[in-house]
Amino acid sequence: MKKVMSLILTVILCVSLATPSMAASSGMSNFQKSNTYAGQFADMSDSYWGTQWAAACYEYGLMNGTGSNTFTPLGVLSIAEAIAMADRVHEIYTTGQSTITNGNPWYQPYVDYAIANGFIYADSFTDYTAPAPRYLMAQLLYNAIPTEELTAINTITSLPDVPEDWLYAPAIYTLYEAGVLTGGDRYGTFSPANNITRAEAAAILARLAVPALRQEILLLRRAVILTAGGSELLSLNFPQASQITADGMCYQYVGKDNASSLEVFVNYEEIPGVYNASIADFISSEEISNILSENFQGAQLSSTLVRFGDVEAYLTELVSGTQFEFFDRMSILSFLWGGNLIMVAVGGVNCDTLFQDVFDSLAVRGQPLRMAD
């Protein structure tokens, strides 16, 4: 799909990189530090998320400030400024230096360079001073270096607001996989139509030019388990990098170098003669704990009554100081629905944040978990 869409981009918008005959000196090693950042941007504190990226761009000669001691991180980039940044990256990559200077209007030499190198058509834009949307910035920077310089370090299977068949999707997905783009949340939300700010542009630009700054990310996606009638029964998050069993009931994630792992397992067991019942009326927390302890090699467990709206459930958690054979941490949710005992087990090793993200996302019939009254 990505290769097909890249071909479409080439034919329709000429957004695939038209690479001229490259000099022997072309390559990522051409990006070298030429300045030292020592707090020159007074409008960016050390604790501000964008300062490290603005500083990197300043040191590598990719962006300057907007005044003698300002960066204006929330300032919106124009289309002309986005084109100029892409030109700068491409020129440094191919020749080792940035030589384009302002003209009349100031952006004309940059537009000419972009047209000559196949970034845009001469009639691509009617107003170069208009704000640049995030998707355009991503596409332009994707064009700035060959795709072989964008080695995948992340597994990205979906983005909530970037359909795979969208014209700009190949560029955006490739930049996510390469760790150049990271998204605004754990799902990888990109907000493609939003105007891009200078701080956001600095982050993308720095990661593109300096591979050591690229980010490893683990994005989540939402899984929904339906009832026989097609309505939502259970929903949860799981890592996009998970392996999923054929029946879709088990999600297994193994982290880099096998240093961490997570498993989410959903099990149904038919309970004869039980259909409309509260789990608290059917089985006690002690009984649930005993059943699970027997199945987990006698581990000491305790169960607490919780609610998902009008659905009662027992939450059973690993007692501090004990260990299962395979997991450092484990939580099990048990509830009755439609004559079935449904159990959701979440187990993890060395992945507390991910474990919590997954378990906190659990919802039954669209209702989030809360402690029972």
Side-chain angles (χ1 to χ4, degrees), residues 187-309:
Y187 300 97
T189 300
F190 181 58
S191 304
N194 287 3
N195 297 331
I196 191 162
T197 67
R198 286 176 51 82
E200 292 169 340
I204 301 171
L205 198 58
R207 296 175 196 143
L208 181 77
V210 188
L213 297 178
R214 295 177 186 177
Q215 305 286 290
E216 291 188 8
I217 56 174
L218 181 61
L219 298 184
L220 306 178
R221 66 180 301 175
R222 185 169 179 261
V224 178
I225 296 171
L226 304 176
T227 65
S231 60
E232 179 179 315
L233 172 61
L234 175 73
S235 65
L236 72 157
N237 292 333
F238 66 92
Q240 289 192 13
S242 299
Q243 293 183 340
I244 305 174
T245 58
D247 60 4
M249 303 303 289
C250 186
Y251 310 92
Q252 298 172 319
Y253 163 75
V254 178
K256 189 175 181 181
D257 301 325
N258 297 320
S260 62
S261 64
L262 184 92
E263 182 167 319
V264 181
F265 181 72
V266 182
N267 182 58
Y268 290 80
E269 181 180 349
E270 186 175 357
I271 308 296
V274 176
Y275 193 82
N276 293 318
S278 163
I279 193 170
D281 296 333
F282 176 72
I283 190 169
S284 69
S285 62
E286 290 77 16
E287 289 174 300
I288 283 283
S289 296
N290 290 337
I291 292 170
L292 293 175
S293 289
E294 290 174 4
N295 283 276
F296 289 104
Q297 303 172 345
Q300 295 180 352
L301 299 171
S302 61
S303 300
T304 304
L305 190 64
V306 296
R307 286 184 181 273
F308 294 85

Side-chain angles (χ1 to χ4, degrees), residues 4-39:
V4 172
M5 291 306 299
S6 291
L7 179 59
I8 293 173
L9 283 168
T10 303
V11 174
I12 297 178
L13 289 184
C14 194
V15 292
S16 217
L17 179 62
T19 307
S21 178
M22 289 188 177
S25 60
S26 65
M28 299 303 293
S29 61
N30 284 344
F31 296 99
Q32 298 289 331
K33 288 186 177 182
S34 57
N35 302 302
T36 299
Y37 182 75

